[in-house]
Amino acid sequence: DLMSGIPFQTLGGWEDTLKKVAELGPEHISAYSLIIEEGTPFGERYGSEEGRKLLPDEDSEREMYHETKRFLKDCG
């Protein structure tokens, strides 16, 4: 399982992660975008306006999603 949209993550870093995992030859790859849930320690840390500044912006997160879809499709 892989997660995108995490703190300090970039599109380039995410692409590297996808490539490295695919090179390992797993039978299956699951990829998810981070969802911040209220009432969790993670939500307390990154749910605030200040905390969200440490996360990829909406456009970057959308690019990660589309790159994931394209990359995994190309991998079969």
Side-chain angles (χ1 to χ4, degrees):
D1 287 4
L2 304 174
M3 187 168 291
S4 62
I6 62 174
F8 306 105
Q9 190 175 50
T10 63
L11 177 59
W14 177 241
E15 290 170 335
D16 289 344
T17 297
L18 290 171
K19 290 174 189 172
K20 288 176 184 175
V21 169
E23 287 172 2
L24 297 172
E27 291 182 28
H28 176 81
I29 296 174
S30 293
Y32 309 92
S33 293
L34 172 68
I35 297 174
I36 298 176
E37 298 288 342
E38 289 185 33
T40 65
F42 200 89
E44 289 174 20
R45 186 168 184 177
Y46 296 103
S48 69
E49 187 175 328
E50 190 66 29
R52 289 187 186 276
K53 291 178 183 177
L54 304 174
L55 301 172
D57 63 35
E58 236 179 273
D59 290 337
S60 297
E61 205 172 331
R62 190 173 299 113
E63 287 180 50
M64 288 179 199
Y65 170 81
H66 289 296
E67 175 59 18
T68 302
K69 191 173 174 181
R70 182 203 62 77
F71 182 84
L72 294 178
K73 182 179 179 184
D74 288 351
C75 287

